[in-house]
Amino acid sequence: METNAILETILHRRSIRRYKPDQIPEAALDAILQAGLYAPSAGGRQGVLFVVSQDAETNDRLGRIKKANSRVRPSTETAYISREQPSIADDPSIQSAFYGAPTVVTLFGPKQFLYAINDCSVAAENMMLAADSLGIGSCYIGSAWDSFDDPYGQEVLRRWAVRADYFAVLHVLLGNPLSEKHPTAKPRREGRILRV
């Protein structure tokens, strides 16, 4: 298989759910956000809104709300997310769906736009690849609207001055990985490529 720096980053990136408490360098955050801004968007609309929260109390409370509102199926001995980096499905003692990440970027999309979720998702992937290339850990939290589904969450949206015609699509967690050991990849499932 051919390889280059981008392909190596794609193959190396893993979800990180254990973080050091210190913030990531500002220059790294700027580069990660720039990668998000340069993601493809349907019709070139560039409609994704990125809200960066580095407030520990806000992130902790929203992460707890997210966990309480998540409908995760608990992991079993044979069906689990990660043994090395357990998720809230793997370990019920984890209190926050944000796993203590010092930086949480919430991506918002226009409510009345068919491709809002797609646009946010490709921006998140760009950000996570950029983060990995800079040695920053990241984790994709695939639904965000339920993080704001209580009075505190609604107050946060008002404080952040998020437009009423936008909705929270997903979160990208960022931080310095707690462990030097990088998680190993699960084996890739066979039969997923059909050449016709």
Side-chain angles (χ1 to χ4, degrees):
M1 181 174 88
E2 281 197 45
T3 189
N4 61 33
I6 293 172
L7 292 172
E8 287 172 12
T9 299
I10 291 169
L11 297 178
H12 182 263
R13 189 215 60 79
R14 297 284 169 273
S15 294
I16 302 298
R17 296 185 191 88
R18 301 292 177 270
Y19 301 97
K20 295 177 182 174
D22 53 307
Q23 286 295 346
I24 63 175
E26 195 66 25
L29 177 59
D30 289 344
I32 292 165
L33 292 168
Q34 186 81 342
L37 290 171
Y38 273 83
S41 62
R45 288 176 55 130
Q46 300 182 45
V48 177
L49 175 65
F50 303 78
V51 177
V52 180
S53 175
Q54 294 185 313
D55 181 75
E57 181 184 347
T58 301
N59 291 346
D60 182 61
R61 287 187 67 179
L62 290 176
R64 287 172 183 267
I65 295 166
K66 169 67 182 153
K67 180 186 176 183
N69 290 332
S70 293
R71 293 176 184 89
V72 295
R73 185 178 312 146
S75 296
T76 67
E77 191 59 39
T78 57
Y80 55 87
I81 307 298
S82 174
R83 297 276 190 237
E84 293 175 281
Q85 296 276 319
S87 74
I88 58 174
D90 299 319
D91 182 353
S93 72
I94 296 172
Q95 298 299 308
S96 169
F98 294 169
Y99 306 103
T103 299
V104 177
V105 183
T106 305
L107 280 65
F108 291 82
K111 288 179 179 175
Q112 300 303 318
F113 183 52
L114 178 62
Y115 301 110
I117 293 173
N118 307 73
D119 286 354
C120 289
S121 297
V122 295
E125 179 69 6
N126 268 22
M127 293 169 65
M128 292 183 300
L129 291 173
D132 188 80
S133 76
L134 297 169
I136 305 296
S138 69
C139 188
Y140 179 102
I141 305 298
S143 66
W145 48 90
D146 48 358
S147 305
F148 303 95
D149 196 14
D150 85 342
Y152 178 78
Q154 293 299 302
E155 170 55 33
V156 168
L157 291 178
R158 285 189 290 276
R159 187 169 11 117
W160 288 354
V162 175
R163 292 171 41 177
D165 59 335
Y166 271 65
F167 73 109
V169 176
L170 60 88
H171 303 286
V172 175
L173 312 181
L174 298 170
N176 295 305
L178 187 60
S179 174
E180 296 289 324
K181 184 178 182 295
H182 197 68
T184 54
K186 289 181 181 178
R188 300 296 97 175
R189 291 184 179 161
E190 298 289 329
R192 293 170 51 210
I193 297 174
L194 306 177
R195 295 179 186 258
V196 296

